[in-house]
Amino acid sequence: MQLVHDTAALDAALRPERVRGARIALVPTMGNLHEGHLSLIRRARELSDCVVVSVFVNPLQFGPNDDFDRYPRTLEADARLVAAEGAQILFAPDVAAMYPGGYPPATTLKVDGLLNQVLEGAFRPGHFDGVATVVNILFNRVRPDVAVFGQKDYQQLAVIRRMVLDLGLAVAVESATTLRADDGLALSSRNQYLKPPERALAPKLYEALQAVADGLRSGRRDFDQLCATARESLEMQGFRPQYLEVRGPDLAAPAAHLSRFVVLAAAYLGSTRLIDNLIVESVAN
Ligand code: PAF
């Protein structure tokens, strides 16, 4: 596994792969890798001959009150994990290498429409602009045939798929299912912020999503009531939910005739913001 920090070294590492006609996969990450990321790398290996993992904590996607400064940076451990998973290249640029014209960049992508107005888009203004901008830069640098993202960030995945469509990018976007701890908590680098009592409580977020999913599967279509009950139950247990909503697969408002829904939530537990979602298949009665 080659660890490279700038575009010239990345190009040099990729050149022989391109010459031999290798199919290249990219797994973009912000590092602090856990089993969830490793499952993305495994999926990328299945889909390609050469896997590039990127590690970059992208300041452009963090708001002023977000956790950019305290986001865990563990490159040495990440490099060991990436090598053990059999990826060929780890691209870990710093801000100057990622944004060579200076930071903040003068040119960014703007995500518009429903995808940027609801859920994460509503609560994290500018976040998806930052994500789309950096993922587009990574696509330009790596020129992957395929890129793999986690379903835990369901809305991010939708934003990236739409960006690929809108900008005519020649990258196949693949997703991998969310990995969970034994108690149901979705794996996330941010889980380590949780104090022990918060960690014990955290799986209740998944339970709240499951309660809504059970309601949908039993034929209920009173979306607002279902979600209000789940939100109240989270509040009673000490969460501060930002949203808990049922949406259609495209994140539009749900309609009773749909047979596929997504239940999505974001909630604070102490100072930690958790997000999670569940995809629900349910034919109405
Ligand atoms: O999901 C993440 O870790 C980040 O949003 C991504 C896609 C690596 C862009 O910085």
Side-chain angles (χ1 to χ4, degrees), residues 85-132:
E85 284 306 327
Q88 280 71 13
I89 300 172
L90 173 55
F91 178 43
D94 62 11
V95 171
M98 185 60 95
Y99 297 107
Y103 188 84
T107 311
T108 59
L109 287 181
K110 171 133 185 50
V111 180
D112 240 326
L114 174 94
L115 283 181
N116 202 35
Q117 284 158 7
V118 301
L119 310 166
E120 291 297 290
F123 282 94
R124 301 188 69 187
H127 171 65
F128 287 131
D129 297 346
V131 170

Side-chain angles (χ1 to χ4, degrees), residues 28-30 37 56 58 61 127 131 134-135 149 153 156 160:
T29 81
M30 297 204 300
H37 297 109
F56 179 63
N58 174 32
Q61 69 188 73
H127 171 65
V131 170
V134 82
V135 171
F149 296 85
D153 295 295
Q156 167 173 283
I160 289 161

